[in-house]
């Protein structure tokens, strides 16, 4: 599935998600923003050595152009911790823009909340159940793929929110493609069950691994949408750790619009 540019040429969106009433989502490219090299320009991370004022301005800008919701950021550690952002948590002020939540996946059914995942080669996997009106955003690097954080998150949406994976929609953001996901030591790093996703001698197709894990978790193949954009091949558009280890992080964001949801 193709991504479309939107507004000032630095937001990308998935057409199938755009069609969903009351769903807000976006992938911000690195174009625009206030950060200077090597974090130019829309770096969303406070954890990479960038000027905090520039990051704060970038985050504010993204918030403004995506509907001014309550933005929930994560402190990601390539683990499998999943955090649900509940109405109570929002009411207590736990989920605020400046306090990152230590987790690699976020789930919410609270209108107005925006779940943000920051990446530079890792995948942001966005999920939406249009009937239960629940969204999730997953940080999935190769360690996340090995640990199947995708499957764990879908299970949590089922057990905690009554979601049905059969009607869920998934979108896999720009990330390291099979062209560039080289793992020379794959025999030590990648478990054997994932070896069928090897391409050539040392490369892996993590897009296909995520699709496989989503389908195994119950999603239908037609509801899984990939960006098809490799970050390493497009370092002018997206931050890529493999292209330059000292770099920024771009954000993928998903949330529910307050106006639509309030009618339910
Ligand atoms: Zn590539």
């Amino acid at each position: 599935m193709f991504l479309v540019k939107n507004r000032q040429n630095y937001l990308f969106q998935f057409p199938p998600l755009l069609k969903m009433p009351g769903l807000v989502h976006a992938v911000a490219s690195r174009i625009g923003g206030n950060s200077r090299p090597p974090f130019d320009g829309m770096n969303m991370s406070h954890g990479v050595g960038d000027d905090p004022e520039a990051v704060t301005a970038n985050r504010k800008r993204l918030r403004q152009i995506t509907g001014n919701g309550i933005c929930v950021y994560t402190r990601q550690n390539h683990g499998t911790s999943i955090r649900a952002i509940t109405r109570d948590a929002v009411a207590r002020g736990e989920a605020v823009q400046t306090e990152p939540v230590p987790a690699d996946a976020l789930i919410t059914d609270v209108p107005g909340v925006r779940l943000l995942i920051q990446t530079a080669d890792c995948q942001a996997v966005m999920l939406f159940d249009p009937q239960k009106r629940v969204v999730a955003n997953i940080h999935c690097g190769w360690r996340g793929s090995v640990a199947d954080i995708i499957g764990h998150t879908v299970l949590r949406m089922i057990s905690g929110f009554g979601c049905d994976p059969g009607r869920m929609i998934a979108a896999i953001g720009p990330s390291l493609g099979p062209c560039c996901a080289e793992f020379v030591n794959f025999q030590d790093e990648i478990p054997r069950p994932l070896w069928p996703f090897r391409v050539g001698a040392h490369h892996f197709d993590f897009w296909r691994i995520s699709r496989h894990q989503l389908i195994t978790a119950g999603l239908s193949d037609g509801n899984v949408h990939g960006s098809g954009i490799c970050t390493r091949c497009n370092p002018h558009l997206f931050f890529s750790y493999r292209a330059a280890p000292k770099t920024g992080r771009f954000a993928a964001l998903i949330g529910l619009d307050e106006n639509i949801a309030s009618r339910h």
Side-chain angles (χ1 to χ4, degrees):
M1 183 56 62
F2 294 104
L3 289 165
V4 292
K5 292 183 180 180
N6 182 35
R7 301 197 196 186
Q8 299 166 29
N9 286 349
Y10 61 86
L11 282 190
F12 288 71
Q13 294 176 304
F14 291 84
L17 270 60
L18 275 175
K19 287 181 194 157
M20 296 286 128
L23 182 69
V24 177
H25 86 286
V27 177
S29 80
R30 68 184 294 177
I31 295 169
N34 288 34
S35 296
R36 295 180 178 176
F39 309 108
D40 50 313
M42 275 287 274
N43 169 41
M44 295 294 165
S45 175
H46 277 297
V48 293
D50 192 4
D51 173 11
E53 286 187 17
V55 177
T56 299
N58 294 342
R59 289 183 171 193
K60 185 178 175 187
R61 189 167 186 191
L62 181 63
R63 183 170 170 264
Q64 284 171 343
I65 58 178
T66 53
N68 287 316
I70 299 167
C71 292
V72 182
Y73 287 85
T74 50
R75 192 166 63 246
Q76 302 156 186
N77 66 0
H78 297 277
T80 53
S81 61
I82 301 162
R83 183 74 77 86
I85 306 302
T86 62
R87 265 168 227 278
D88 287 348
V90 174
R92 286 196 301 268
E94 286 177 12
V96 295
Q97 210 172 358
T98 51
E99 294 292 330
V101 176
D104 283 279
L106 298 171
I107 306 172
T108 196
D109 60 353
V110 184
V113 170
R114 310 280 183 254
L115 308 178
L116 283 100
I117 291 296
Q118 302 162 73
T119 63
D121 289 342
C122 293
Q123 296 174 15
V125 181
M126 294 177 276
L127 296 171
F128 176 49
D129 181 329
Q131 190 167 328
K132 288 287 180 183
R133 302 201 62 78
V134 178
V135 292
N137 206 349
I138 306 167
H139 167 243
C140 185
W142 70 269
R143 289 182 180 85
S145 297
V146 169
D148 191 14
I149 188 172
I150 288 174
H152 288 293
T153 305
V154 173
L155 275 178
R156 182 77 173 271
M157 291 173 77
I158 297 167
S159 64
F161 294 85
C163 293
D164 176 356
R167 61 182 175 232
M168 276 188 209
I169 297 166
I172 303 166
S175 46
L176 205 60
C179 40
C180 296
E182 185 179 25
F183 286 76
V184 176
N185 301 315
F186 77 89
Q187 288 173 324
D188 298 324
E189 294 171 334
I190 311 290
R192 195 174 286 267
L194 296 184
W195 289 6
F197 299 95
R198 188 156 52 110
V199 180
H202 301 118
H203 288 67
F204 280 77
D205 189 342
F206 283 95
W207 293 342
R208 208 153 63 80
I209 290 173
S210 292
R211 177 175 291 274
H212 172 76
Q213 291 176 337
L214 287 161
I215 292 168
T216 301
L219 277 80
S220 68
D221 187 53
N223 283 343
V224 178
H225 306 285
S227 73
I229 296 179
C230 171
T231 42
R232 175 67 183 82
C233 287
N234 294 281
H236 58 294
L237 272 180
F238 296 100
F239 296 110
S240 169
Y241 182 82
R242 288 216 179 195
K246 193 169 177 60
T247 193
R249 300 289 182 273
F250 65 91
L253 164 161
I254 189 165
L256 302 167
D257 185 76
E258 284 177 292
N259 300 325
I260 297 283
S262 64
R263 292 206 296 265
H264 285 254

